[in-house]
Amino acid sequence: MSPNIQSTEKVSVLARLKRDRWLYLLLLPGLLYFIVFKYLSMWGIVIAFQNYSPFLGVLQSKWVGFDHFINFFQNPDFMRLLRNTFIFAVLDLVFFFPAPIILALMLNELRKQIYKRTVQTLIYVPHFMSWVIIASITYIFFTTSGGAINELVSTFTGKEINFLASNTWFRPLIMLQIIWKETGWGTIIFLAALSSVDPEQYDAAIVDGAGRFRRLWHVTLPAVRSVIVILLILRLGNFLDTGFQQIYLMTNSLNREVADVFDTYVYFVGITQGAFSYSTAVGLFKSIVGIVLVLGANKLAKKLGQEGIF
């Protein structure tokens, strides 16, 4: 490349930076956030290969290679943690992931905007509640000491069910909490995609004799298909992330057998017991699984003719 071309490119870049300087200034806080808290912090994964000691620091701690990973895979708790985490992840994909799509399609069918906006506002509210509040509401409704749900169960069956301490009911309660809290908020992206559909496509479908279900299947769903694929790929990246706060708040000594997952295990081992290197190895294992799933899902999506994330 000639010096003149390089000089022209350099000038053009500087000119764009000067022209859009205020936009880049607005970008700066977000960019700094990701650099400091997402990228620089990745340096900490090196302690997964050390016997890290806070007194010695990262540079002076002893290197042990893959010992922590081997110990984790040989730990009797590994299969139980993997099973519980995998079950929660599958339940999330099967029950929660389609929920915002279905709700968005239902909202899209509402023709009166006042009803649509009112429903949207109401279903967005739970997203802004903390998991502490959600867990408290769950306790109030399902406790055996005067809980509304248990009162109804007792009225119709003559006995109470200890939902909060039951291994059987723990997973359904977790799924109900997630669906109630996040489904409404998840509709935003799908409603935005549906708003871009040309109304003439619906008119043409009506002229061709398509009913409401046919219009939904052949016009509405194809409009959000690429969004669904992209969000599914991104969701697989967090496949083993079950949400620490929610699980931790709902766990007790009676349901721990089905409640323990990788997220809570990292907390108990890493924070309460001080096994920093071991817990970092567990977290790194989760991240590697997520990367593999994202790459695999992205490649599969492209083979099926869909747009991937890269």
Side-chain angles (χ1 to χ4, degrees), residues 212-233:
R212 175 165 293 186
F213 179 78
R214 286 291 182 183
R215 296 198 299 271
L216 176 69
W217 186 260
H218 293 288
V219 179
T220 307
L221 278 178
V224 296
R225 184 167 52 198
S226 61
V227 178
I228 293 173
V229 172
I230 291 174
L231 291 180
L232 178 60
I233 294 172

Side-chain angles (χ1 to χ4, degrees), residues 81-122:
L81 294 170
L82 181 62
R83 181 181 67 251
N84 291 341
T85 305
F86 184 80
I87 290 174
F88 278 119
V90 172
L91 290 175
D92 182 87
L93 285 179
V94 172
F95 293 103
F96 171 67
F97 183 76
I101 303 172
I102 296 171
L103 185 57
L105 294 175
M106 294 172 65
L107 288 173
N108 190 61
E109 293 298 314
L110 292 177
R111 293 294 173 256
K112 292 190 176 181
Q113 291 298 316
I114 186 172
Y115 294 152
K116 185 176 181 179
R117 291 172 181 173
T118 301
V119 172
Q120 283 181 274
T121 301
L122 292 176

Side-chain angles (χ1 to χ4, degrees), residues 138-151:
T138 305
Y139 178 83
I140 292 173
F141 273 93
F142 290 94
T143 181
T144 55
S145 303
I149 302 298
N150 252 316
E151 290 292 332

Side-chain angles (χ1 to χ4, degrees), residues 291-309:
I291 291 173
V292 171
L293 289 174
V294 167
L295 294 176
N298 187 73
K299 187 174 182 179
L300 180 61
K302 287 188 174 182
K303 283 188 174 181
L304 295 177
Q306 301 296 322
E307 294 183 5
I309 58 176

Side-chain angles (χ1 to χ4, degrees), residues 34-219:
F34 278 98
I35 291 175
V36 174
F37 295 103
K38 300 297 183 180
Y39 290 98
L40 292 181
S41 59
M42 290 176 64
W43 167 253
I45 65 174
V46 299
I47 70 174
F49 306 95
Q50 299 176 323
N51 273 332
Y52 173 73
S53 171
F55 302 101
L56 297 176
V58 176
L59 298 178
Q60 298 182 14
S61 295
K62 180 181 178 181
W63 286 85
V64 295
F66 292 94
D67 287 358
H68 296 302
F69 293 92
I70 295 172
N71 292 335
F72 175 55
F73 296 142
Q74 293 179 346
N75 192 315
D77 291 331
F78 173 73
M79 290 306 300
R80 179 172 62 89
L81 294 170
L82 181 62
R83 181 181 67 251
N84 291 341
T85 305
F86 184 80
I87 290 174
F88 278 119
V90 172
L91 290 175
D92 182 87
L93 285 179
V94 172
F95 293 103
F96 171 67
F97 183 76
I101 303 172
I102 296 171
L103 185 57
L105 294 175
M106 294 172 65
L107 288 173
N108 190 61
E109 293 298 314
L110 292 177
R111 293 294 173 256
K112 292 190 176 181
Q113 291 298 316
I114 186 172
Y115 294 152
K116 185 176 181 179
R117 291 172 181 173
T118 301
V119 172
Q120 283 181 274
T121 301
L122 292 176
I123 62 179
Y124 291 166
V125 172
H127 170 77
F128 299 98
M129 297 183 183
S130 70
W131 281 115
V132 176
I133 296 176
I134 302 298
S136 300
I137 294 174
T138 305
Y139 178 83
I140 292 173
F141 273 93
F142 290 94
T143 181
T144 55
S145 303
I149 302 298
N150 252 316
E151 290 292 332
L152 289 175
V153 172
S154 178
T155 300
F156 289 103
T157 65
K159 60 180 181 179
E160 294 180 340
I161 300 176
N162 195 354
F163 293 98
L164 301 177
S166 170
N167 289 344
T168 304
W169 285 99
F170 181 79
R171 290 168 183 147
L173 284 178
I174 294 297
M175 285 299 106
L176 287 174
Q177 286 180 336
I178 296 175
I179 291 172
W180 183 73
K181 185 177 187 295
E182 300 295 347
T183 297
W185 188 254
T187 61
I188 293 177
I189 296 178
F190 298 107
L191 288 173
L194 290 172
S195 65
S196 64
V197 180
D198 189 352
E200 292 183 358
Q201 296 186 28
Y202 291 108
D203 296 337
I206 293 174
V207 172
D208 290 339
R212 175 165 293 186
F213 179 78
R214 286 291 182 183
R215 296 198 299 271
L216 176 69
W217 186 260
H218 293 288
V219 179

